[in-house]
Structures are given as C-alpha cells and as structure tokens.
Amino acid sequence: MTVPQSRRTPLTVLAGVGALVALAGCDSTGAATDAADGPIKIDASDTSCTVSTTTAAAGNLTFEIANKGTKVTEFYLYAEGDRIMGEVENIAPGLNRRLIVEVPDAGKYQTACKPGMAGNGIRGDFTVTGGVARQNDTNAQKAEATKSYATYVANNSAALETETAKFVDAVKAGKVDEAKSEYARTRVFYERIEPVAEKFGDLDPAIDAREADLEPGQQFTGFHRLEKDLWRSGLQPDSPQIADKLLTDVKDLVTKAKTLQLSALDLANGAKSLLDEVATGKITGEEETFSHTDLWDFQSNLDGSKNAIVALRPILQAKDPALVSTLDKEFANVQALLDKTRVGDGFKYYDQLSQDEIKTFASAVDALSEPLSKVAAVVAK
C-alpha cells in the first residue's frame, strides 16, 4: 500500500475484468447467515458496511465484497490490536472483489470497510469460533512455501536497512546529488516486500505515505517527504530529523518482520496486492510525484509478486498447472515491456513515457492481474 491509498487514481481498465468476482447479491440484515453456507458477503457503501454474518468457524474464511457506494473502497479483517489478518484494496464503485484469509484461532476480530480508502473505516465486531491447526503445521508444501518466502523477506529487509542508512547519511550530510542517486535503489527493497510492511498498520504510512494521501493531522514523514525535499523544495531545517525517523522506522519494521508468521494465503494475497500497487500508483505516476522514479518501484513490485508465486509454485503446479502457465506468460509479458524502458542500470523516468507506453503497461498489468486473482482460491483448496 504505501499509503492509505485514499485518493489514488485507480485505472478502470485494471480494476475491471477477471480480477473481480461477481456476487449473487448480499444479505442486508447485518447478521444471520452461516459462513459455512458459503462466502461471507460484504455490502459496502459510502456510509455502511453490512456483513452477512458476524460469526464463523476457524479456518479459511472467504469474503466477497461488493462496492455499492460512489467512492473507491477497501476491506480489512483485523485481529486484536489492529493486526491485519487480510485486506483487499482499490475496489472501485460497482465492482466486487474476493478475499480469502486463513484464521486458525478463535477470538474477537473486526471487519472494516474504508470508503475513500481513508481513516479507520466503518467497523463491526466479528467472532471466530473453534480453532484449527495452522496449515503450515499440517501441509508440508505450504510450510515450505512460507519458509522460502520468509527468506526472501529477510534478505530484502536486511538490504533495506543497510541502504536506508546510506540514504539517510547522504541527506544528513546535505549531499543532495548522492541522496538522489540512493533514493530509488533504496526503495527497491521496500517495494519488493510492501505487503509485509502493510501488516504493521502504523509503520507503512510513517515510512511510505505520499503527501496527497495524508490524513488530517498526519505528519508528512518517510521516503516521500525526503523525496519532496530533494527534488522540489530543497533540504529543510528538519530534513535530518525526518531522515533519522525514517531509519528508526525501517529498523522497527525489520525487527517486526522477523517475527511475522505468514500463511500460504498471505503469499497469494500479497502477490495480487503488489500488482494492485502497480495499477494504482506506479502506472499512474502518482507514487513518485517529485522524482518520477515510478518504474523502479514497478519493477520491485513485480519482483515481489513473482517471488511469492515462485514460492507457491509447487502447490499451484499440482492443483492447476494451466494457471501456472498463464502466470508465467503474463509475468514475462510485463517484464518484456519494462525491459524496453531500461536506461543503464535504471529506467526511463515516468514523465518521459508516452501515453501509448502507459496504456500498454496498463493492459499488460491487467492481463497479469486476472490470473493472479485466482491464486488464493487454488491455494485454499
């Protein structure tokens, strides 16, 4: 996410098509149906978030969210302490999305719709009963997938901390050109593991919020505040303090990531979420408003998504080999387009792209997003 993606511009072409799941209609009573009867249906409007049942047995829970409002929305399932169990973002008005999340433990949870993708959302209590073993404990393939991806996260987290320290040192020394050259290659490591960062609700916006997405009263900190200082307004008296806070937040993220328990469904949802990031922030050029280094982020999101699929590949190959073939083809197609924009060890700046190039990227990401939206259901089988 990077931000409360609030006012990001969703590309309609990307929000549509196969990534979306048609709903048969929702129960508007707010309670009653049994989750065992099928997906839990969410009717989201600009002022309400109606959940078809407020209880479910532990296990894989499927939510089908229908946005019947006028604002782009998102849906979350929170555990205690606002720990994010699962989320789906960028649901345009009139469209539907599906979220499958593993919830093995009984307890009190909360559902939340966020019309406008801002604030704490419209929340409701949700109870999970019983309890089941974590699938990582009972399924060797899923355990191996999460172990493999955890190594990827650990490697990128370590590199993120190292490179952020170099970037911060350059900012604090007033070395603008050096800091600019460090900026994009430092963010590579953050963008690859962004779904992990989003598990920690306060850290992601502190590190990666864009100025246009700030909530009322929210301080502008993190990478994008320093991006603005470096490219637009010049280093400010408090730039060194902002840089120090960025490094502190990154270190906190790295520490927390080491203890994070991921499920195979987290990998599936994360792979899709990274493509959503590309659609809503990178192809539109909204992510890197001042530096225009959006394609560096695009490549990193693609790398992160692909690595999640690589970890899941044995599971997908056994259950749906045709889906694996489609994913391979569409990943290669997007990569080929990105490769055409390479300049040295980087890419064209976003403001150097033609409208035809942007439209071609959007179509390719849309084509990849559709099979990615099917991965969670296959993993959940």
Side-chain angles (χ1 to χ4, degrees):
M1 153 170 143
T2 306
V3 282
Q5 298 189 5
S6 6
R7 291 151 292 272
R8 286 183 168 183
T9 304
L11 293 183
T12 303
V13 66
L14 294 174
V17 207
L20 311 170
V21 181
L23 292 183
C26 296
D27 180 350
S28 61
T29 61
T33 61
D34 185 343
D37 293 337
I40 300 163
K41 298 177 180 179
I42 310 296
D43 261 2
S45 76
D46 295 347
T47 57
S48 65
C49 184
T50 304
V51 183
S52 63
T53 179
T54 55
T55 64
N60 289 342
L61 304 185
T62 300
F63 297 91
E64 289 190 347
I65 305 103
N67 185 1
K68 298 183 177 179
T70 62
K71 302 176 181 177
V72 178
T73 194
E74 54 192 17
F75 174 78
Y76 289 76
L77 179 68
Y78 289 105
E80 289 186 4
D82 274 4
R83 181 166 55 90
I84 298 173
M85 298 296 296
E87 61 175 306
V88 58
E89 303 170 345
N90 192 37
I91 311 171
L95 298 178
N96 308 323
R97 290 285 295 270
R98 171 174 287 190
L99 171 68
I100 306 175
V101 56
E102 182 181 347
V103 186
D105 299 322
K108 300 293 185 183
Y109 297 81
Q110 282 194 323
T111 54
C113 300
K114 296 187 180 180
M117 297 201 288
N120 288 326
I122 303 168
R123 299 203 178 201
D125 292 334
F126 190 86
T127 301
V128 173
T129 59
V132 297
R134 283 170 169 72
Q135 293 179 12
N136 283 356
D137 296 333
T138 60
N139 185 308
Q141 277 190 319
K142 291 183 179 179
E144 186 57 34
T146 54
K147 181 180 177 183
S148 170
Y149 189 70
T151 299
Y152 178 76
V153 171
N155 291 339
N156 280 279
S157 296
L160 173 64
E161 183 173 339
T162 299
E163 295 304 316
T164 301
K166 294 178 184 175
F167 173 63
V168 164
D169 284 347
V171 170
K172 293 175 68 176
K175 298 177 178 177
V176 172
D177 289 342
E178 183 178 327
K180 283 182 173 180
S181 70
E182 292 283 351
Y183 177 79
R185 61 174 174 247
T186 299
R187 285 182 50 74
V188 159
F189 302 104
Y190 187 84
E191 294 288 334
R192 285 177 180 167
I193 60 170
E194 203 163 356
V196 172
E198 290 174 359
K199 290 284 186 184
F200 309 109
D202 293 337
L203 280 175
D204 182 45
I207 293 171
D208 204 31
R210 297 180 314 141
E211 186 174 32
D213 297 304
L214 296 177
E215 305 285 351
Q218 181 183 352
Q219 186 184 7
F220 188 22
T221 61
F223 279 115
H224 292 302
R225 160 60 201 277
L226 294 173
E227 178 199 9
K228 182 178 181 181
D229 290 357
L230 290 168
W231 270 272
R232 180 64 59 86
S233 37
L235 291 177
Q236 301 296 302
D238 67 342
S239 295
Q241 288 72 41
I242 296 294
D244 280 336
K245 180 176 178 355
L246 172 63
L247 184 56
T248 298
D249 289 339
V250 165
K251 288 181 176 179
D252 193 9
L253 172 65
V254 171
T255 299
K256 289 183 175 180
K258 291 176 181 175
T259 63
L260 186 63
Q261 288 187 320
L262 294 170
S263 70
L265 279 172
D266 285 327
L267 272 59
N269 292 330
K272 177 65 171 64
S273 139
L274 281 165
L275 258 289
D276 289 344
E277 286 288 331
V278 172
T280 57
K282 282 69 176 185
I283 292 180
T284 61
E286 296 177 71
E287 182 74 27
E288 306 290 358
T289 307
F290 308 107
S291 65
H292 304 301
T293 54
D294 301 271
L295 294 190
W296 281 258
D297 296 350
F298 185 164
Q299 178 68 68
S300 304
N301 287 164
L302 189 71
D303 289 342
S305 180
K306 189 173 183 178
N307 271 278
I309 296 302
V310 166
L312 292 170
R313 191 180 187 92
I315 299 170
L316 299 175
Q317 189 67 48
K319 296 181 177 180
D320 193 341
L323 178 60
V324 174
S325 297
T326 303
L327 287 167
D328 287 347
K329 173 187 169 187
E330 300 302 342
F331 268 118
N333 185 37
V334 176
Q335 186 60 65
L337 293 174
L338 269 171
D339 288 344
K340 290 180 180 177
T341 67
R342 286 192 182 277
V343 177
D345 61 356
F347 298 90
K348 284 184 179 178
Y349 293 104
Y350 183 83
D351 57 355
Q352 296 174 332
L353 295 176
S354 68
Q355 286 303 307
D356 284 344
E357 285 177 309
I358 293 170
K359 288 178 182 177
T360 303
F361 271 133
S363 296
V365 170
D366 188 27
L368 173 57
S369 187
E370 193 275 336
L372 276 176
S373 72
K374 299 177 179 177
V375 170
V378 175
V379 170
K381 289 179 181 175

